[in-house]
Amino acid sequence: MNRKHAAALTLLPLVALGLGLVALGGAPQDAPPGAAQDQRGAAAGPGGAATSASLAARAPAREARRGAFWAPVGSRFTYALDTATDISSAAREADGMPERRETQRVETGGKLVVELLARRDREAVVAFTCPELGAKLPGGIAPQGELEANLAALRGRTLARVDVDGRVLGYRFADGLAMTQRDWVRGLFGGFAFVVDADGGETWTAVGADSAGEFEASYRRIAPAVDELQIERTKLRYVAQRNAAELPLSVSGAAHATIAVEELGWLRRARLAETTHVQSTELPIAFDVAAHASLELVSHAFDPTIADDDAFDGDWAPASGHGEDATAMFEARAEDEWRQRLAGKNLRGIAGDILEELLAGRDDSERLMELWNEASWLLKLSPEAIAELRATLADPNLEPKAAALWLAALAKAGTPTAQSLLLEVFGDAKGSLALRGAAAAAMFDVVRPTAELAGGVAARIAALDAIDPADATAVLALGALARRDAKVLAGERCVLEAVEGWQERARRLDAEDLWLDALANAKSPKLEAAARDALSDGREHVREAGMRALGQVEGDSAFTTLREVASGDAEPRMRCAALQQLATRNEPAARDALLTAAESDRDAFVRQTALTSLARKGVDSGDEARLTLIAQNDADENVRELARRMLRRG
């Protein structure tokens, strides 16, 4: 998983809790002495703040009002706020493994206080806070860590610019808020920011903004009214969204609001019942975030000391959070944590601990993984450590597993200096084949390839007259780098063009199978055409590579070819190659094709391959009858035994 995706998954449940909590609102400073807040229509005591009756008296004349949200500067609104959010996740860790489901509920309750600070033209500045906001977790667990930090951000004071129709135009956050905290504030405010049609239509559409991005919503008037406007909002789609390619969002449900357009010029109440579905496009995981929230006005008053003529001055953050860099936030936080953890440590000490684990035969221990993480972060944060590692890697007595681990740590560090050393080790003509191969293998884990790395690898493979295992690994790694960043320069061409353009050199080296695998790694648009050309090649290894490549091509045409080869090709190896690719497909007919081959292919090894491919997908209850017949009737004992094992595991 790359860092960008990890950041998105880390933030998602936290951001989701902030989706759709509360409407246009603001945060007051402490009320001045004697400025009591009264219930609707109730008089404040002598010397107290103005009552709602005097709010109406201070309202502009009807013909001079602009928009539904016309409340005068100095208005203060206090709401009761309650939310309940259920976050459900579904994940499948691997093919054949059962789906794992988890659900967590978070309830919050408290007050929302809104103060109108300033107006100009068609805009206003409001301040909002939730001074008594608390959370309820399952089992009575007290909020802590990131959840408590996000709740603290909502208890603090935030300014928002809004227009008279209810659109959020921007925010001014408290200093020092992390991105997740700003997202919670956006979710609170933007989730219930209702946009009213200036032309008074019965239905309309408008664009809103929240922590996830900008969304298009449809609105309708629920009932005709003179004093109050009752509307319903349905989110249609996100037109701009953070991590849209990796974690696309869809929303169902609706929100309702009552706006006191005559008495208050502000929101009276709101109800929200929306479910956000998030499906990862890169990992087998999905989230459903069901948010229920209510907002009810409990008091309103007028206090002239609220006014702030300078409220518009200064910088404003965007209304939507989609433009903020989740990856940068994720990495900055991790860097701070690792600087503290690595205090007093150096490369020599970590290297000694790594060697101790390896010599003890603990090459898959949790302790070794911890040390590898330490090594990666030390190399990321300390250029001096990379210089020291250069000398370590040059030691001919360096333990091979330790060398491979350090090269992988360089790739994870990912800095330009780290990538430069990785390329240096790979290109060292005097280096051992094992060390060069380990450097090439480590390149698969480089998340943001530099032009130096991509260009260096591309230049070497373009000039090859013979190919060794290290070079072959580098060809495949270059394809992976192209998938990470297809436009990064590799000399005069981008890295994707360098991969695609290697075909002629591959043909001279009899390495077209390697080229096809690199194209597949790169997700090249030319992959399907190249794969189909390979299927008609007379060389078996090229045909097999074409089948592997075709398995990576989405769509009915590629799937149909896979099924045809699996059932009808004259060569058993090709039928096996097609079956192995069918195991990776999500089309429902893929399962039937595998079972059919397991039942009827004339070659026992192909039937066995069909069963192992089916096992990768996972055995469903609907497969058991056909597997039982295979276990009882197949002519080959190995096939029968494999079917019996699959039934027992299923």
Side-chain angles (χ1 to χ4, degrees):
M1 185 192 311
N2 62 40
R3 287 193 184 98
K4 181 178 181 182
H5 204 206
L9 287 178
T10 300
L11 293 174
L12 175 63
L14 302 173
V15 172
L17 286 173
L19 291 175
L21 293 181
V22 68
L24 289 173
Q29 299 173 347
D30 292 338
Q37 295 181 336
D38 55 294
Q39 296 294 323
R40 286 184 56 199
T51 66
S52 60
S54 60
L55 265 183
R58 285 172 170 79
R62 183 176 291 105
E63 59 273 14
R65 295 175 186 171
R66 291 184 173 186
F69 296 93
W70 52 259
V73 171
S75 301
R76 176 186 292 123
F77 302 93
T78 301
Y79 299 88
L81 169 66
D82 291 288
T83 78
T85 305
D86 293 303
I87 303 177
S88 301
S89 64
R92 190 183 299 276
E93 295 181 355
D95 288 337
M97 296 291 289
E99 189 174 69
R100 178 169 50 84
R101 292 182 174 272
E102 296 180 359
T103 300
Q104 180 182 8
R105 165 167 281 225
V106 178
E107 299 177 3
T108 66
K111 293 192 300 184
L112 169 75
V113 185
V114 177
E115 292 181 341
L116 201 69
L117 306 184
R119 283 194 177 276
R120 72 180 183 192
D121 300 327
R122 292 181 54 83
E123 295 184 14
V125 175
V126 297
F128 64 97
T129 188
C130 301
E132 300 174 2
L133 187 65
K136 178 182 177 183
L137 298 174
I141 300 173
Q144 54 187 324
E146 190 134 26
L147 175 58
E148 176 55 32
N150 293 330
L151 293 172
L154 292 174
R155 297 184 197 112
R157 190 171 191 261
T158 303
L159 303 190
R161 279 177 52 223
V162 299
D163 71 12
V164 295
D165 297 323
R167 293 178 184 84
V168 183
L169 306 176
Y171 295 96
R172 186 176 300 141
F173 299 106
D175 291 339
L177 289 191
M179 195 182 74
T180 49
Q181 293 174 304
R182 296 195 296 273
D183 277 338
W184 274 55
V185 173
R186 284 187 173 104
L188 177 88
F189 195 83
F192 272 123
F194 295 87
V195 180
V196 176
D197 182 28
D199 297 327
E202 294 298 316
T203 61
W204 62 96
T205 60
V207 173
D210 60 19
S211 54
E214 297 176 0
F215 58 86
E216 184 180 41
S218 65
Y219 288 85
R220 70 180 181 93
R221 293 175 185 264
I222 297 175
V226 176
D227 296 334
E228 293 187 336
L229 176 62
Q230 298 181 38
I231 60 176
E232 178 185 75
R233 183 195 70 203
T234 303
K235 291 183 179 179
L236 302 176
R237 63 188 181 94
Y238 277 88
V239 296
Q241 182 216 314
R242 179 187 295 156
N243 299 112
E246 299 90 351
L247 297 166
L249 302 179
S250 60
V251 182
S252 59
H256 299 83
T258 300
I259 303 164
V261 292
E262 285 296 319
E263 180 185 359
L264 303 175
W266 211 255
L267 192 72
R268 186 181 297 284
R269 68 179 59 88
R271 300 285 187 276
L272 180 146
E274 293 176 334
T275 297
T276 303
H277 178 72
V278 189
Q279 176 67 62
S280 170
T281 59
E282 296 186 2
L283 296 175
I285 187 169
F287 291 91
D288 284 297
V289 183
H292 298 267
S294 66
L295 193 69
E296 187 76 31
L297 184 68
V298 294
S299 69
H300 50 278
F302 182 81
D303 183 352
T305 65
I306 291 172
D308 181 357
D309 294 337
D310 298 325
F312 280 98
D313 298 343
D315 297 329
W316 292 88
S320 165
H322 77 279
E324 293 196 337
D325 189 347
T327 306
M329 182 281 304
F330 184 80
E331 292 182 345
R333 182 187 304 167
E335 284 188 14
D336 289 341
E337 292 175 354
W338 275 102
R339 286 186 195 278
Q340 297 176 27
R341 290 175 62 175
L342 292 171
K345 295 190 177 184
N346 55 45
L347 185 135
R348 180 174 298 180
I350 295 174
D353 291 340
I354 287 173
L355 186 59
E356 181 181 337
E357 288 293 305
L358 293 174
L359 292 178
R362 297 188 292 266
D363 53 2
D364 60 351
S365 67
E366 291 185 10
R367 172 60 178 158
L368 188 62
M369 288 304 298
E370 292 174 2
L371 291 168
W372 178 72
N373 273 321
E374 288 184 1
S376 301
W377 278 99
L378 183 66
L379 294 170
K380 182 180 181 69
L381 299 174
S382 172
E384 295 80 8
I386 292 179
E388 188 177 350
L389 180 60
R390 178 178 280 106
T392 300
L393 292 171
D395 182 355
N397 297 316
L398 180 63
E399 209 279 335
K401 289 183 179 179
L405 190 146
W406 280 110
L407 290 165
L410 276 174
K412 184 174 185 290
T415 63
T417 307
Q419 293 186 47
S420 180
L421 180 53
L422 204 58
L423 179 63
E424 180 183 320
V425 174
F426 165 66
D428 184 3
K430 297 179 181 179
S432 70
L433 181 61
L435 191 63
R436 291 183 53 245
M443 294 176 191
F444 282 92
D445 295 323
V446 173
V447 175
R448 299 188 189 94
T450 61
E452 180 190 10
L453 179 65
V457 175
R460 179 176 176 85
I461 68 171
L464 289 175
D465 293 320
I467 191 164
D468 63 27
D471 293 323
T473 302
V475 171
L476 299 176
L478 192 66
L481 297 181
R483 185 177 182 184
R484 301 270 162 70
D485 187 349
K487 295 181 180 179
V488 67
L489 291 178
E492 296 181 354
R493 300 184 294 179
C494 72
V495 64
L496 179 59
E497 291 170 340
V499 174
E500 294 171 343
W502 198 65
Q503 182 179 14
E504 287 303 317
R505 179 68 59 171
R507 183 173 289 122
R508 285 185 232 164
L509 297 170
D510 191 24
E512 287 164 283
D513 54 339
L514 189 63
W515 174 68
L516 286 164
D517 289 338
L519 279 186
N521 285 349
K523 291 288 185 181
S524 167
K526 298 181 179 181
L527 180 61
E528 182 171 6
R532 291 191 180 281
D533 287 344
L535 291 181
S536 60
D537 194 282
R539 292 163 294 175
E540 198 168 64
H541 67 284
V542 176
R543 291 190 69 210
E544 284 190 64
M547 188 55 56
R548 289 195 302 271
L550 198 64
Q552 306 303 308
V553 177
E554 297 179 358
D556 293 340
S557 177
F559 179 69
T560 298
T561 301
L562 290 173
R563 291 191 66 184
E564 290 172 350
V565 173
S567 61
D569 196 273
E571 293 295 330
R573 284 180 59 176
M574 287 300 295
R575 298 201 299 277
C576 287
L579 290 167
Q580 289 165 349
Q581 294 308 310
L582 284 170
T584 69
R585 307 291 292 211
N586 294 322
E587 291 89 345
R591 184 176 297 276
D592 178 69
L594 293 172
L595 281 165
T596 298
E599 292 167 331
S600 59
D601 195 279
R602 58 189 177 276
D603 188 288
F605 184 76
V606 176
R607 297 198 300 276
Q608 194 168 340
T609 300
L611 288 177
T612 56
S613 298
L614 178 63
R616 288 179 57 195
K617 291 184 73 68
V619 176
D620 286 349
S621 58
D623 305 333
E624 292 178 358
R626 297 173 73 175
L627 283 174
T628 299
L629 291 175
I630 295 171
Q632 293 171 348
N633 302 324
D634 194 274
D636 188 277
E637 172 57 27
N638 291 329
V639 176
R640 295 197 300 272
E641 176 58 26
L642 179 56
R644 287 193 289 267
R645 290 204 309 268
M646 291 172 64
L647 285 167
R648 288 195 294 269
R649 292 175 183 172

